[in-house]
């Protein structure tokens, strides 16, 4: 734990926001920081949750513990809708209370003796949970990197996909890979993911693939690692209803562990993950699971697509605004995040300047790894009106 | 993980139940096995959950991520009702999705280099999560114990409280202590807990105190370790709404980490646990938290006390029935569990005999540690009618 005693990114932003609000009590702050959904959940999803809550007060409707792995009907619905035509069985889907929680449970499965690789920049929980598990050495202050982690640089110079041939994969056990990536917004192409799967297969590495933002993909990039032939033998996939259906507060996600995935000994990883789930987790809230099932009905899917369309429009508006200021802008088309380059400047300086002069909260790119220095992440989770207002303020500052 | 590849207790019971149902498809099975609540949740608690679910569909009522540590109002309500007069602050309460999940997060905090002690028998998750974290050696087949764990025997010979002076505490970092204990049903007295706290203070050990069944205490045994002076400097307490309010499926619990609790370096444990919660957890479901708050209102507390009274009556009925058969019976007064001794017999044999001849599911005591061999645990979570029916069948078998 001592290695990790630097602050976690989002609470740090929260503290700076708090200080700003005390300094400018009358300012109208617009938060484009933490990726927190803002649109209401469609009624077709909340009504069954309310009904289930009421039913818990009746003798017929009361249910206690469900299966640790999730309700059979929900596991089946996930396998049949999200993984349609990919041959993922319901028994390979483990329902969880969110992807971040499952990252830790996967780390418990992996233990402290593995080496890990991550995109740089990426979602901080892979590295942080690895540090907590004891997989890393100390932080090297000159680089901001932790010893023992392979940081796969993803920047404009390689179009945000790492040069896998230059990485030290033969000695890396686990590759965390997030696509569309948070924060860069880059969705890996089919060809790129084929390359990733091929390298993992060759080296006997495990891919932990995070598809939490798959619903934001607009082009024909794969929405799951299992669209790639051979992935079932090398990849676990984690995902979530948070950004898919606004379930950030409701808490629901899932992890796929294919039966075909085995250790080098031939022992199935599925069996061990099942044991972790039974020992360290007691299932997601039954109310949230009812909501998840409603999301995956035909009407439910149409309703959540409409909500996602709002955020995607916002992302396009933000990307246009920053591009119009002559800045290099990435992401925003396959992702709710826009990744803006401020070459030669430090992320926290840009964050502070924007906050001070426009009362808009962003996220400093360096919080996602040393490769994010010089960038800021701007999130599309807000109303259309507030996004427009934020763009106006930003134009005044940088225009 | 390899060390843990023996089956987990409750899925094993589930499989035997399944096999029994296939053998006797017409049998009316009564499950007094897994400690799963069966009474509906009072409407005063489910109504706010339903309302909150509905509100998530409105612009005013929608909420995304809450604080990872839990909603301020719920943390405050827990500190002011459950820990009334114990001086626990709201900031010391971390809301979770259940005690079992928090045991694993505490294990992440502790890491692999600590030595642990557990009551024998006790709830298996302490040992199992310790094995997953790498805190133990292999299982010694002659004793059924894992190397590196101190098993504190709790049996009729010591009235279910371990002889702390004979334990190897000076070398034990963490003592898991569950009171009222699952499965024995024994609630430690004030004097016993004073002794425990005193020994932990003397040796610099951490107590992880599990009070998940505190609401079942009928006598003046402490309901929290913080009733003992000095406990705040040595103890974390985990607890849950599962058995308190029938939230086994809703999922809600909490952990108290006092500010005064420090490592030997003086660094506060609270700060590290907060970091674990922010990194490995994203807060309990907002709907469940609304329900938890309703449980702690004056009306809510009265309503859940009525439900607990049903289970306590059931426990008394079961205890009487077994005692009437001339068996030694423990627990059942401060706990929903009755712990029945079958000297000279193996727990699984008794489990099998009862299942085969009465279609009643119990739990073999050996599943809670080698000290539980020769006992079975019988749970009070059922309707009054089914408990009576189970007692009739048991009388026919053993009478």
């Amino acid at each position: 734990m001592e290695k990790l005693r630097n602050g976690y990114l989002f609470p740090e932003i929260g503290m700076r926001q708090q200080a700003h609000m005390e300094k400018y009590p009358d300012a109208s702050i617009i938060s484009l920081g933490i990726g927190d959904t803002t649109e209401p959940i469609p009624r077709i999803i909340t009504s069954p949750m309310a009904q289930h809550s009421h039913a818990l007060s009746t003798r017929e409707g009361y249910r206690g513990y469900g299966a640790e792995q999730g309700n059979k009907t929900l596991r089946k619905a996930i396998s049949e809708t999200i993984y349609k035509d990919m041959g993922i069985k319901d028994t390979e889907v483990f329902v969880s209370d969110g992807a971040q929680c499952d990252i830790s449970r996967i780390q418990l499965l992996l233990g402290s003796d593995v080496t890990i690789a991550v995109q740089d920049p990426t979602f901080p929980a892979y590295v942080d949970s690895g540090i907590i598990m004891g997989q890393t050495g100390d932080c090297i202050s000159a680089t901001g990197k932790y010893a023992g982690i392979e940081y796969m640089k993803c920047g404009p110079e390689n179009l945000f996909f790492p040069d896998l041939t230059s990485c030290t994969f033969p000695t890396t056990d686990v590759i965390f890979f997030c696509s569309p990536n948070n924060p860069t917004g880059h969705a890996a192409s089919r060809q790129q993911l084929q390359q990733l799967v091929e390298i993992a297969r060759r080296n006997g590495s495990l891919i932990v693939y995070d598809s939490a933002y798959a619903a934001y993909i607009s082009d024909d990039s794969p929405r799951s690692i299992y669209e790639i032939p051979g992935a079932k033998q090398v990849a676990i996939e984690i995902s979530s209803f948070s950004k898919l259906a606004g379930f950030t507060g409701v808490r629901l996600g899932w992890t796929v562990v294919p039966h075909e995935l085995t250790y080098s000994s031939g022992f199935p990883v599925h069996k061990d993950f099942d044991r972790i789930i039974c020992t360290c987790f007691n299932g997601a809230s039954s109310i949230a699971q009812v909501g998840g099932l409603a999301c995956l009905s035909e009407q439910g899917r149409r309703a959540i697509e409409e909500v996602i369309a709002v955020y995607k429009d916002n992302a396009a508006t933000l990307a246009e605004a920053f591009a119009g200021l002559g800045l290099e802008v990435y992401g925003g088309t396959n992702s709710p995040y826009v990744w803006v380059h401020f070459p030669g400047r430090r992320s926290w300086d840009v964050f502070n300047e924007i906050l001070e002069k426009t009362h808009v909260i962003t996220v400093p790119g360096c919080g996602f790894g040393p490769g994010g220095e010089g960038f800021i992440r701007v999130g599309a989770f807000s109303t259309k009106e507030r996004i427009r207002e934020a763009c106006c303020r930003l134009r005044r500052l940088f225009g």
Side-chain angles (χ1 to χ4, degrees), chain A:
Chain A
M1 285 302 300
E2 265 175 55
K3 293 176 193 157
L4 196 65
R5 284 184 186 163
N6 58 331
Y8 185 57
L9 180 60
F10 295 108
E12 173 67 29
I13 292 171
M15 279 187 285
R16 294 198 188 205
Q17 174 169 352
Q18 193 59 40
H20 186 76
M21 283 159 70
E22 280 161 24
K23 192 171 164 192
Y24 301 102
D26 299 327
S28 154
I29 290 181
I30 299 178
S31 178
L32 308 178
I34 183 169
D36 189 7
T37 47
T38 49
E39 289 293 301
I41 301 172
R43 199 161 283 279
I44 192 165
I45 296 159
T46 57
S47 287
M49 292 200 286
Q51 275 163 30
H52 182 78
S53 300
H54 275 311
L56 290 173
S57 280
T58 65
R59 206 157 277 287
E60 307 71 44
Y62 182 75
R63 294 285 178 281
Y65 288 120
E68 289 90 343
Q69 302 86 349
N71 291 341
K72 193 87 182 158
T73 47
L74 178 57
R75 300 172 82 185
K76 200 157 180 286
I78 292 171
S79 74
E80 288 176 356
T81 56
I82 308 277
Y83 298 102
K84 192 168 182 288
D85 303 326
M86 292 180 225
I88 295 294
K89 298 179 196 74
D90 55 357
T91 51
E92 297 174 316
V93 177
F94 294 84
V95 176
S96 77
D97 60 333
Q100 184 160 338
C101 311
D102 263 354
I103 292 168
S104 293
R105 287 186 281 262
I106 289 169
Q107 292 286 21
L108 276 171
L109 174 81
L110 299 172
S112 57
D113 290 338
V114 300
T115 52
I116 66 171
V118 294
Q119 289 150 294
D120 179 24
T122 198
F123 184 47
Y126 317 127
V127 167
D128 289 357
S129 60
I131 298 166
I132 289 171
M133 272 308 288
Q135 293 164 350
T136 73
D138 286 323
C139 186
I140 303 151
S141 57
T143 60
K145 296 179 180 181
Y146 281 86
I149 293 184
E150 167 83 22
Y151 288 79
M152 306 182 292
K153 184 75 195 295
C154 298
E157 68 285 1
N158 56 15
L159 300 172
F160 297 97
F161 189 79
D163 177 7
L164 296 174
T165 56
S166 79
C167 295
T168 60
F169 280 142
T171 58
T172 301
D173 303 309
V174 184
I175 307 165
F176 284 94
F177 201 91
C178 179
S179 180
N181 187 32
N182 172 9
T184 68
H186 180 262
S189 69
R190 192 167 308 270
Q191 204 190 347
Q192 288 171 334
L193 292 181
Q194 278 165 348
Q195 202 191 335
L196 180 67
V197 167
E198 176 53 34
I199 282 199
R201 291 175 67 96
R202 200 187 310 146
N203 298 327
S205 303
L206 169 72
I207 300 167
V208 179
Y209 189 81
D210 186 339
S211 66
Y213 295 95
Y216 291 82
I217 293 177
S218 303
D219 61 20
D220 62 351
S221 305
R223 290 170 184 230
S224 162
I225 191 71
Y226 303 118
E227 290 191 33
I228 310 301
K232 277 186 221 164
Q233 285 110 48
V234 290
I236 287 174
E237 181 163 305
I238 52 181
S239 202
S240 170
F241 285 87
S242 288
K243 311 302 160 71
L244 174 66
F247 271 34
T248 44
V250 174
R251 311 301 314 138
L252 196 68
W254 71 86
T255 288
V256 177
V257 184
H259 291 304
E260 294 169 45
L261 181 68
T262 61
Y263 299 102
S264 54
S265 67
F267 190 87
V269 175
H270 184 278
K271 216 164 169 170
D272 275 357
F273 191 67
D274 190 80
R275 188 65 160 88
I276 295 268
I277 290 298
C278 290
T279 309
C280 306
F281 184 54
N282 245 326
S285 174
S286 60
I287 306 169
Q289 292 193 62
V290 166
L293 192 63
C295 292
L296 300 177
S297 70
E298 222 180 290
Q299 276 183 291
R301 274 182 291 162
R302 269 201 301 273
I304 59 181
E305 270 165 27
E306 281 175 32
V307 176
I308 288 171
V310 172
Y311 298 137
K312 285 174 78 166
D313 277 353
N314 288 348
T317 305
L318 286 167
E320 265 175 46
F322 280 106
L325 296 167
L327 293 159
E328 287 298 333
V329 180
Y330 307 95
T333 52
N334 287 327
S335 155
Y337 298 124
V338 175
W339 185 239
V340 190
H341 201 181
F342 291 82
R345 296 196 61 189
R346 300 192 69 81
S347 304
W348 274 116
D349 292 342
V350 179
F351 169 91
N352 284 334
E353 186 187 356
I354 292 177
L355 178 57
E356 183 67 28
K357 297 187 179 161
T358 71
H359 309 304
V360 172
I361 307 270
T362 58
V363 184
C366 61
F368 299 96
E373 188 56 275
F375 289 83
I376 57 158
R377 188 191 82 176
V378 189
F381 297 111
S382 192
T383 61
K384 200 172 197 165
E385 295 69 37
R386 291 179 77 71
I387 292 285
R388 283 205 188 127
E389 166 66 19
C391 290
C392 283
R393 295 187 197 171
L394 289 162
R395 274 192 210 101
R396 278 202 293 274
L397 173 61
F398 293 111

